[in-house]
Amino acid sequence: MREGAGATACGGGFAAGRRGRAFLLALAVSCVALGDAQAAPPRPLPASAPQFARSCIIKPPVIAPLFPAAEEASAAAAPDAEDDTDDDADDDDDVPGLILPGSSTCLAVSGSVTAGLQYDSYRIPRAGNAAPPPAYSWPTSTSLRIETAHDLASGLRIGSAVEMSMRPGTNQPDSMTLDEAIVTVGTMTFGLTGTFFSFWTGDEFAFSARLPGRNVGLIGWERDLTERWNLALSVEDPTLATTATIPVVKGRVPDGVARLTYTQGGLTLHMAGALRDVPGSVPKLGRAGIIGATYELPILGRPGEITAQLAGAVDAPAYIGSSLDTTIVSQVLTSADSSRGFSGVLAARREWTDELASNLFVSRYQLTLPLTNQATGKLKIDRASANLVWTPVEGLKAGIEGSVAWTRVAIANRVLPLTLGGRQLSAQLFIERSF
């Protein structure tokens, strides 16, 4: 019996020892495999396609009118019939850009470089021998604009724009001017930009490249009321401007501006009004109004357009006149002056060929300053200008321009520059490259 039990125990011990050796052998093999795995070089990741910037186009956001008409609702149900019309109408406002890798925001960079040769001749009777002699100059200007747009899934447009320019003045060092710096959220605009009040800005003429339009700090809202009518409201602070030249003082509240525009076919109608708080010993309410229209029509069998504008202001002279007029008015007015006046413009354009077009305009600026002892001061500026512009390719234009200006100033008991007043003749050759 003991021998049997001993044999059974020996057999059991042998089996247990054999299982132990198998475990130790498996452990050793796993350690060797782990070491080999750690020493082996990492397996390369699968190849992925390189990422490149993608082209995009910043278009005006599509926002439904507040009061859509019945025909507009039916057009929305058939978008294919309306898309072609919308694309043609918005081509001028489209800005090409890029979407950078890892981003979903469209970024557009544009700008222009303008150079020219200008000749100026003066006849200023009241200046006598102090009248400047005829002279040549080389006016140049550059501008750079950076714009972004991002459309959220909800359809809300988030955008921004920054525009800078360098327009050296006579006998002045070159300096960079901030023309625009805005953030847009849907229909709202915040920042520094052109006033909502303005209509005709003379973009077809060389002087517009040398003298930027008036900008202001504003908070604005703009929305289409119907397919034809558009309403814009803003509160504006002219003391934040970087291109304003007429002296203004900060009021208790910002200026209020309302604008209503109407477009149909070749007709554009612009109406706007502004209210300004004028501080002083006796606070005043400045106001200004403007009405302007542009109509596209054939002129002598070729495409053309005619623009007319009339603006008036009481204690708000910065709202009337062109950028050329304000450079003269800034030498006459002070921030404490009370004034009333008006300005008018009549402009025309005709395309002689697909590459050649001519532009002309005449304007009148008139301002009256009530003075003490029942006296009044007067300032009148008349202008006429015409040019011939050649655009062989998109983004390049060159031309020749001539202009004449008459200035008459009659303000008693005020020291004014001797050269202010009289007649100025100007002629210019210019070339502009935009990108």
Side-chain angles (χ1 to χ4, degrees), residues 113-117 141 390 396-399 428-433:
V113 178
T114 305
L117 171 62
S141 63
W390 178 54
L396 175 65
K397 69 177 182 179
Q428 181 178 136
L429 292 170
F430 66 89
I431 185 170
E432 177 181 308
R433 183 69 173 96

Side-chain angles (χ1 to χ4, degrees), residues 15-28:
R18 186 169 52 187
R19 287 195 297 271
R21 288 193 298 272
F23 173 76
L24 293 176
L25 179 60
L27 180 62

Side-chain angles (χ1 to χ4, degrees), residues 355-427:
E355 296 83 21
L356 197 64
S358 60
N359 304 278
L360 63 89
F361 84 89
V362 293
S363 68
R364 158 66 69 92
Y365 182 99
Q366 182 169 318
L367 206 64
T368 301
L369 284 68
L371 304 175
T372 58
N373 301 323
Q374 297 182 347
T376 59
K378 291 187 178 181
L379 168 65
K380 294 182 181 180
I381 307 173
D382 294 318
R383 297 186 184 277
S385 181
N387 65 20
L388 189 63
V389 181
W390 178 54
T391 54
V393 295
E394 183 178 359
L396 175 65
K397 69 177 182 179
I400 181 172
E401 183 171 301
S403 62
V404 57
W406 296 271
T407 304
R408 296 172 292 281
V409 184
I411 302 178
N413 301 323
R414 181 167 298 185
V415 178
L416 300 174
L418 290 176
T419 56
L420 189 62
R423 185 206 67 189
Q424 177 182 353
L425 294 173
S426 298

